[in-house]
Amino acid sequence: MHDEWEHAHTDHTTPVQRRTPASLADSEGDWRHHLEHSAPNGWLIRNSAMTEALTSGKPMHLLHTTKNIDAIRTSRQLHVSTGCLVGALYCSPLTSQRQGLRPHNLGTYLMRTKPTTTPIVLEVVPDAPIPPRGIDYLQLGAIHLRIYERYQSFLTLAESDQLDRSVLTGLHSAARFLDIALRNATGHATAAPEFIDRLADAVSHVPFLGYLYFEVLSEYLMLHSTTPETKNCAEAGELNNWLYKRLAFAAVDGMDQLFDLARFHPHHQQLVQLIEGIEPALGPGVAQYVRRRLSHLFARTALHPSQDAASVSFHGADLSTLRHVAPGLMGQMIFREIRYMPRYQQLYHCFEKAKALEAWDYWNHEGIPTPFNGILPKGEIGIHPLYPRSAVRAWTAQQDSNGFLHPVQEVNAVLTPHLASWWAPPGSRSRKTTVPPVTVDRSAARPNLRTQTNGISA
């Protein structure tokens, strides 16, 4: 179990050590070197301000926004959310300056686009320098699968049968593209426009591909953008989060109401138009980048490291074989398929709490009170609700005319290991609904807080 969680975490400051399938045209180390040295903002992979703050061992200030400040004060609890941070209070970094606390550009985005929320400043005092290992939710597939197999008895026989049928149907419908992606990962290139169109068609059958697609484009934009806005972010040691937010909202109607990447599937022509609309210079190279990068990431996240990517085919494969060969993909598909079940509101806490407990245990052993989204150190950082060796305090805050935050009133609340609710109503594959969450806080010796999920759902 510990090895699986280790595999799902990335330290961008050290050489790559993760096992990967054989026959890939490029190793993870090759890609790391390429992105760090070829992309204008690649140096931020290793040297972001957030990474420096973590490894300093000094107190950290983080921003959380909530619509539920009155409920937090009444309950004296802060509830954590699931998604890309598994089970943590979703935050963004704050930098202490003479004028006040300066929000990370992600925090600025959240406050500007959610004007009815209350900003909360949290101070985390760690017991030691924090390892800069972030969790990569794209690598959680094998864990999703293991948790499902352990608690499959929570489903009725009919539910289990329906899940198997749905997963197998999706895999068989997308098998041609999945095989194409593996061929590309092993160096047999497909024309980029054709690859993008096949990818877009396959997302409806394998929703996980929508997440891969979006994360590849987010990486492309953040690392390669050269606009004045992006340069200003880089000078502060930050990747520009506004870029992928604009992409998501331009690509999918209603994404601002529900951030669901299973609906992200632009075809080639739309993709180029979307990227050119954000930064014209990045349009010509985007399709080729997606073809190469997504193929590599698909092989790495879908297949068991013991497999040879050149010998795997999804065409006609059965579920038993695929659970052995591609546990990452199977777990990601099962994880998302359960979201469409009529009883998901009941099943949610069973499966999600099981994962959160394991993540909390791993973070405790590894000395990680503040896990972050480790696909890239872009500023999505959380607070672990059951870390026993750090102190946490919280205040409501006000923003001045120059954008700096100032703590106003301490919030008498603690982080608690409750998961904010997230569920999909029956039959609602294309439009899922969130139940407003109550967030969790953590110190037994101090007060409690609760809040609402922000950020990308995983």
Side-chain angles (χ1 to χ4, degrees):
M1 184 181 77
H2 186 278
D3 288 347
E4 286 184 336
W5 285 100
E6 185 78 14
H7 185 84
H9 283 73
T10 302
D11 182 345
H12 296 284
T13 69
T14 61
V16 174
Q17 297 178 335
R18 189 157 38 203
R19 288 180 62 210
T20 55
S23 298
L24 298 185
D26 303 295
S27 70
E28 188 176 359
D30 293 335
W31 269 106
R32 173 89 64 84
H33 184 272
H34 172 72
L35 294 175
E36 284 189 15
H37 295 90
S38 300
N41 306 311
W43 62 275
L44 287 166
I45 295 174
R46 185 181 294 264
N47 298 305
S48 72
M50 186 181 74
T51 298
E52 292 177 1
L54 289 166
T55 57
S56 73
K58 297 178 181 178
M60 297 183 66
H61 292 94
L62 304 176
L63 168 66
H64 176 77
T65 59
T66 181
K67 293 181 179 179
N68 299 316
I69 187 62
D70 291 336
I72 290 169
R73 287 187 169 122
T74 299
S75 69
R76 297 189 175 189
Q77 292 187 353
L78 248 172
H79 291 182
V80 298
S81 56
T82 53
C84 64
L85 298 178
V86 182
L89 183 67
Y90 185 92
C91 301
S92 60
L94 292 165
T95 301
S96 182
Q97 298 184 347
R98 182 178 54 82
Q99 306 96 313
L101 294 168
R102 181 185 63 79
H104 187 281
N105 71 85
L106 174 60
T108 300
Y109 172 86
L110 294 172
M111 289 191 294
R112 193 171 299 177
T113 57
K114 301 176 185 292
T116 61
T117 60
T118 300
I120 294 178
V121 168
L122 294 110
E123 180 188 66
V124 181
V125 182
D127 60 317
I130 301 169
R133 291 204 292 275
I135 186 164
D136 182 346
Y137 78 87
L138 299 177
Q139 296 281 355
L140 290 177
I143 295 172
H144 292 321
L145 178 60
R146 176 171 52 77
I147 295 292
Y148 168 71
E149 290 176 340
R150 180 188 302 170
Y151 298 110
Q152 187 174 358
S153 64
F154 293 167
L155 274 61
T156 67
L157 182 60
E159 287 171 336
S160 293
D161 288 346
Q162 178 58 45
L163 184 146
D164 285 348
R165 284 195 299 273
S166 296
V167 168
L168 192 59
T169 298
L171 286 168
H172 284 175
S173 297
R176 186 176 181 186
F177 170 76
L178 300 180
D179 286 354
I180 287 173
L182 290 183
R183 287 203 299 274
N184 277 268
T186 57
H188 304 283
T190 302
E194 177 190 353
F195 181 91
I196 300 299
D197 285 340
R198 290 187 181 278
L199 165 63
D201 290 339
V203 170
S204 63
H205 304 294
V206 180
F208 175 60
L209 293 172
Y211 292 75
L212 271 178
Y213 193 2
F214 178 78
E215 294 295 355
V216 167
L217 289 172
S218 298
E219 176 187 82
Y220 178 72
L221 288 168
M222 287 188 289
L223 294 181
H224 293 85
S225 173
T226 57
T227 64
E229 175 189 72
T230 299
K231 289 179 179 178
N232 287 337
C233 291
E235 288 175 3
E238 300 170 4
L239 291 165
N240 184 0
N241 288 258
W242 290 69
L243 297 166
Y244 67 80
K245 297 288 189 180
R246 292 176 185 135
L247 171 68
F249 300 145
V252 182
D253 290 340
M255 193 71 108
D256 56 334
Q257 301 299 314
L258 178 61
F259 210 106
D260 178 11
L261 295 175
R263 300 185 294 150
F264 185 85
H265 52 83
H267 284 76
H268 177 258
Q269 183 176 0
Q270 184 191 8
L271 169 63
V272 175
Q273 291 172 345
L274 285 167
I275 300 302
E276 289 181 342
I278 295 170
E279 190 162 341
L282 298 182
V286 65
Q288 186 78 3
Y289 185 89
V290 171
R291 182 194 62 76
R292 287 190 60 216
R293 185 65 169 145
L294 187 140
S295 296
H296 173 79
L297 287 179
F298 172 72
R300 224 181 73 200
T301 59
L303 303 183
H304 191 276
S306 66
Q307 296 300 305
D308 183 341
S311 64
V312 173
S313 174
F314 289 91
H315 183 73
D318 59 77
L319 292 180
S320 178
T321 299
L322 290 173
R323 289 186 184 192
H324 173 72
V325 171
L329 180 59
M330 290 294 293
Q332 295 284 3
M333 290 189 70
I334 289 169
F335 168 62
R336 287 169 176 80
E337 196 63 38
I338 291 175
R339 287 182 170 183
Y340 304 125
M341 290 184 171
R343 285 202 309 125
Y344 182 59
Q345 194 170 11
Q346 297 169 270
L347 298 171
Y348 166 84
H349 286 282
C350 301
F351 292 104
E352 295 305 313
K353 190 64 171 281
K355 282 193 285 278
L357 286 167
E358 290 188 0
W360 297 335
D361 179 66
Y362 174 82
W363 295 334
N364 283 347
H365 280 92
E366 299 300 317
I368 302 175
T370 49
F372 64 93
N373 184 346
I375 295 177
L376 281 177
K378 59 184 178 179
E380 290 184 311
I381 188 169
I383 304 177
H384 161 23
L386 288 175
Y387 191 78
R389 303 186 299 277
S390 67
V392 179
R393 297 176 66 185
W395 297 264
T396 56
Q398 289 183 348
Q399 189 174 28
D400 64 27
S401 59
N402 294 315
F404 291 92
L405 284 169
H406 303 274
V408 174
Q409 183 179 15
E410 188 160 6
V411 180
N412 187 28
V414 295
L415 271 164
T416 60
H418 284 79
L419 301 180
S421 294
W422 191 101
W423 68 287
S428 187
R429 261 189 180 277
S430 59
R431 293 190 62 83
K432 302 170 194 167
T433 309
T434 52
V435 174
V438 177
T439 342
V440 189
D441 194 355
R442 36 174 305 165
S443 309
R446 40 181 14 113
N448 279 235
L449 276 136
R450 49 174 244 179
T451 122
Q452 163 186 9
T453 303
N454 294 311
I456 297 175
S457 66

